[in-house]
Amino acid sequence: MITSRSKRFAVLAATAVTAALVLTGCSSDNDSLSKQYGSGTTQNYISGDGAVTEVAADKRTDAVDFEAKDIDGETLSSKELKGKVVVLNFWYAGCPPCRAEAKYLNKVHDQFADDDVQFIGVNVRDEQATAEAFERTFKVDYPTVLDQKTGAMQLALSGQIAPNAVPATIVLDKQGRVAARVLGAVDGPSILNTLVSDELSGKAS
């Protein structure tokens, strides 16, 4: 069940889950999805409007399973991140809303720097040099996975409330389950701050 907590959030109705699964890809098999993600066209994506979808704790499905190397060659594993709230932000350098939201993501990241929170950027289109240039320009201080060739991070969310827009931000709870999604740009720090805080404190449970 997807719930609406206040007027601060533009929350999608329960049918959004079905729509999300349909929009995840034109094909239902992972091989086709992988090829489409790897093509760099992001043709599976629609534009997002910043709507927030939250999933009640008792309605969350299986934990998201992923393992990938970041730009620096460090391995990021969902198993090793259990016990932490994980924020996955899907982006690419030429995306204007991605550029606009970077300062807000940085601010929330910094606010939770001493807590059990891990931010991970997932670049869906760029080569390493382009991604690194973006990170320098916008002072991104959390790891980024280059996902344009395999689509592994995106495929890990297939069958979940998926990142059907760029940018999109997914919050995973401490068990690694999808707790919330912002579909489109984060237009300020407050909503993401609240989503992360609720998972840390257990308010969403």
Side-chain angles (χ1 to χ4, degrees):
M1 177 178 183
I2 299 174
T3 59
S4 175
R5 200 172 28 223
S6 74
K7 291 182 181 178
R8 291 173 299 168
F9 298 149
V11 184
L12 299 177
T15 52
V17 176
T18 302
L21 300 184
V22 171
L23 289 165
T24 299
C26 300
S27 172
S28 60
D29 65 280
N30 283 355
D31 286 342
S32 294
L33 280 172
S34 182
K35 289 176 183 177
Q36 290 173 11
Y37 286 137
S39 71
T41 62
T42 60
Q43 66 188 60
N44 293 313
Y45 289 99
I46 59 171
S47 59
D49 59 4
V52 177
T53 301
E54 294 183 82
V55 184
D58 62 349
K59 300 298 181 182
R60 295 173 189 173
T61 56
D62 295 338
V64 175
D65 183 24
F66 65 84
E67 182 173 301
K69 290 188 181 298
D70 67 16
I71 287 177
D72 296 323
E74 299 295 326
T75 299
L76 298 168
S77 166
S78 55
K79 292 179 181 178
E80 293 183 358
L81 291 171
K82 287 287 179 64
K84 292 188 176 185
V85 177
V86 177
V87 179
L88 302 173
N89 176 252
F90 294 80
W91 66 280
Y92 65 92
C95 157
C98 301
R99 303 166 77 86
E101 73 171 358
K103 59 186 176 184
Y104 303 127
L105 292 165
N106 288 343
K107 184 171 184 178
V108 179
H109 169 262
D110 292 347
Q111 287 173 338
F112 293 102
D114 296 325
D115 297 303
D116 287 329
V117 178
Q118 177 66 61
F119 274 62
I120 301 173
V122 182
N123 187 294
V124 301
R125 181 173 293 187
D126 302 319
E127 297 295 335
Q128 181 165 337
T130 302
E132 287 178 333
F134 180 99
E135 292 185 337
R136 288 193 299 270
T137 299
F138 294 97
K139 299 179 173 59
V140 176
D141 194 29
Y142 49 85
T144 287
V145 171
L146 299 178
D147 206 42
Q148 83 281 20
K149 292 182 179 178
T150 66
M153 295 293 289
Q154 295 156 96
L155 289 169
L157 286 154
S158 180
Q160 302 271 356
I161 299 180
N164 298 313
V166 177
T169 301
I170 305 283
V171 178
L172 306 181
D173 65 17
K174 291 180 180 180
Q175 289 75 51
R177 304 171 301 175
V178 174
R181 176 188 68 181
V182 182
L183 190 61
V186 172
D187 61 2
S190 61
I191 289 177
L192 186 55
N193 188 303
T194 299
L195 294 173
V196 173
S197 293
D198 284 357
E199 293 308 318
L200 271 177
S201 66
K203 286 183 180 179
S205 299

